[in-house]
Amino acid sequence: MAGTNSEPETIMTKNSKPAPRTLAAQAGHYLDPSTGAVTPPIHPSTTYARDDNYETIYSSTYSRDGNPTYDQLEKVLAELDGGADAKVFASGMAAITTFLETIPTGAHVAAPRIMYHGAQDWLRRLADTRGLGLTLFNAADPDALAGAVKPGETALVWIESPVNPTWDVIDVAAAARTAHDAGAVLGVDATVATPVLMRPLEMGADMVFHSATKYLNGHSDVMAGVLVTNEADARWAEIKKLRTLMGGICGPYEAWLLLRGIRTLHLRVERASENALAIARHFDGHEKLDAVLYPGLESHPGHAIAKRQMDGGFGGMMSIQVAGGAEQAKTVATGTRLFIPATSLGGVESLIEHRRTVEGPESAVPENLLRLSVGIEDVDDLIGDLDAALQGV
Ligand SMILES: *Cc1c(COP(=O)(O)O)cnc(C)c1O
């Protein structure tokens, strides 16, 4: 049975719940009962009327609390990650900052030393302004997290895997055990892996975060973020309340575009992963490179863990370290014709970026590192483009 716009239903096939790629391809499985429209409408209304008994008709009366377009999107997102519920936000950072509001003042947080810089900047800010204890650990060392948590004090372990932009792999199941043993919750930024390749909630994580600006939307034209919870517990109730109070909700048009983007999520992620693996293999050992960082390479230190906890590929993100230094790396970043010299990731088009320039002199990222967001173009074109740019160094 089809869902209606006010009450999206889970589709059931004859024998079982459909596979994630089916749920994504039909994101929301919308069928308008009055017209048969196959794609969902956008609900731009900010306000929802009451009936003759002055009862609310819809579960929300004001769209900062909720809106049928968000409902439909959130249902798909929760299903893709196997969570109890999902909430969308105006950007990835709006989701992260709202989540971090639930960490008590003065509590302790452990996070990787190299990670998405915006989230780390916010953690550092909370350490300065609200007495948050912060321990940054080396994600490349599998034992470092255990040394970074403080039993009874650590409220949150926040990880990414693969870690941006070195693509170190963190063992999510092990991190969940370490966090829980210390009495902390585990939050995982799974933007790069996407629910197509990794489902952290099934490995013990309590909260999953995605910058929906990236792969979930996939076309570099929407800003949004999402939190998916393993349990609809007291923390989740607080997050929902904080979204309403802090107001970091995305617009209905963005939510609708996300529903559209998610329909091709699996195809895009699978092609980007195939392309990235082919590029990594081609350039591994290249004379103009010091290193190719990609968890799909057998030589990558995190390969075995990545293989265990990711399914269907290693993602579209990789980095190369150019022999020489910052100057040589920037020459490559400006020498490509197909790889566009721009920030962000997860779109259908390939991007190349000198991370140190973007993150600034405080950054722990090597100065010869270029981050590649590999798109869905013809892989031989991409390899030829990079090859030509490397010849120019
Ligand atoms: C982009 C990004 C974020 C932040 O998301 P925005 O949508 O830009 O606010 C967080 N984590 C990772 C890994 C990202 O790539």
Side-chain angles (χ1 to χ4, degrees):
M1 266 303 290
T4 65
N5 57 6
S6 60
E7 190 107 352
E9 287 171 27
T10 302
I11 332 159
M12 298 297 286
T13 55
K14 227 197 242 159
N15 300 315
S16 64
K17 213 171 150 181
R21 70 172 63 243
T22 305
L23 293 169
Q26 298 199 1
H29 194 65
Y30 184 84
L31 264 194
D32 182 329
S34 59
T35 63
V38 169
T39 60
I42 303 175
H43 285 269
S45 187
T46 53
T47 182
Y48 292 84
R50 292 169 180 271
D51 66 13
D52 291 345
N53 299 316
Y54 214 67
E55 298 294 336
T56 57
I57 297 170
Y58 169 60
S59 56
S60 156
T61 57
Y62 192 56
S63 65
R64 184 148 41 73
D65 291 327
N67 156 314
T69 307
Y70 308 150
D71 291 349
Q72 199 167 358
L73 172 61
E74 287 164 352
K75 183 151 193 349
V76 179
L77 290 168
E79 280 175 342
L80 289 181
D81 259 308
D85 199 6
K87 284 287 154 208
V88 283
F89 293 82
S91 67
M93 284 308 295
I96 290 175
T97 54
T98 303
F99 174 53
L100 291 176
E101 275 294 303
T102 66
I103 304 304
T105 298
H108 178 257
V109 172
R113 182 168 301 130
I114 294 183
M115 59 180 279
Y116 178 70
H117 68 122
Q120 191 179 94
D121 284 355
W122 189 254
L123 286 169
R124 288 176 185 274
R125 200 182 151 83
L126 292 180
D128 286 346
T129 61
R130 294 231 318 253
L132 190 90
L134 180 61
T135 303
L136 300 175
F137 64 92
N138 175 8
D141 173 0
D143 300 323
L145 174 58
V149 295
K150 303 180 184 203
E153 264 181 70
T154 305
L156 170 69
V157 172
W158 180 261
I159 60 167
E160 289 173 24
S161 189
V163 179
N164 181 35
T166 52
W167 320 115
D168 292 321
V169 177
I170 297 180
D171 185 329
V172 177
R177 286 192 296 273
T178 304
H180 295 160
D181 287 350
V185 295
L186 178 69
V188 179
D189 179 342
T191 301
V192 166
T194 80
V196 173
L197 304 178
M198 191 173 84
R199 309 216 313 166
L201 298 180
E202 291 173 357
M203 293 181 259
D206 302 285
M207 188 75 67
V208 165
F209 158 80
H210 300 282
S211 166
T213 312
K214 315 295 169 55
Y215 288 101
L216 291 176
N217 178 61
H219 295 76
S220 307
D221 52 11
V222 165
M223 294 224 77
V226 55
L227 294 174
V228 188
T229 188
N230 198 31
E231 267 183 69
D233 52 10
R235 179 190 317 276
W236 188 247
E238 176 79 351
I239 286 170
K240 290 199 285 188
K241 192 191 224 173
L242 286 169
R243 188 184 69 168
T244 297
L245 292 176
M246 293 168 74
I249 179 72
C250 76
Y253 292 94
E254 282 73 15
W256 185 84
L257 278 169
L258 269 170
L259 276 167
R260 189 168 73 170
I262 286 170
R263 290 175 180 233
T264 55
L265 176 67
H266 285 71
L267 288 176
R268 289 185 284 99
V269 170
E270 284 158 11
R271 174 56 66 85
S273 293
E274 280 166 31
N275 283 355
L277 183 60
I279 292 170
R281 285 191 173 144
H282 181 91
F283 288 99
D284 194 21
H286 191 284
E287 52 168 4
K288 298 281 179 75
L289 297 180
D290 285 346
V292 173
L293 310 176
Y294 185 64
L297 291 175
E298 282 79 5
S299 56
H300 187 283
H303 179 70
I305 299 166
K307 210 171 159 181
R308 194 169 68 229
Q309 70 186 17
M310 297 173 83
D311 186 19
F314 299 91
M317 295 304 299
M318 57 184 288
S319 296
I320 52 177
Q321 288 183 260
V322 182
E327 200 186 313
Q328 284 77 4
K330 284 187 202 167
T331 302
V332 175
T334 51
T336 53
R337 290 291 167 267
L338 290 176
F339 278 89
I340 301 165
T343 194
S344 197
L345 60 98
V348 289
E349 66 288 308
S350 294
L351 306 177
I352 188 165
E353 183 181 47
H354 187 242
R355 277 309 282 179
R356 182 67 91 83
T357 301
V358 176
E359 296 188 14
E362 307 269 279
S363 167
V365 174
E367 62 169 13
N368 67 342
L369 182 145
L370 293 173
R371 187 179 82 174
L372 307 180
S373 173
V374 178
I376 66 168
E377 303 94 333
D378 183 276
V379 71
D380 293 331
D381 285 346
L382 295 176
I383 288 172
D385 189 41
L386 263 185
D387 246 332
L390 284 169
Q391 293 322 312
V393 185

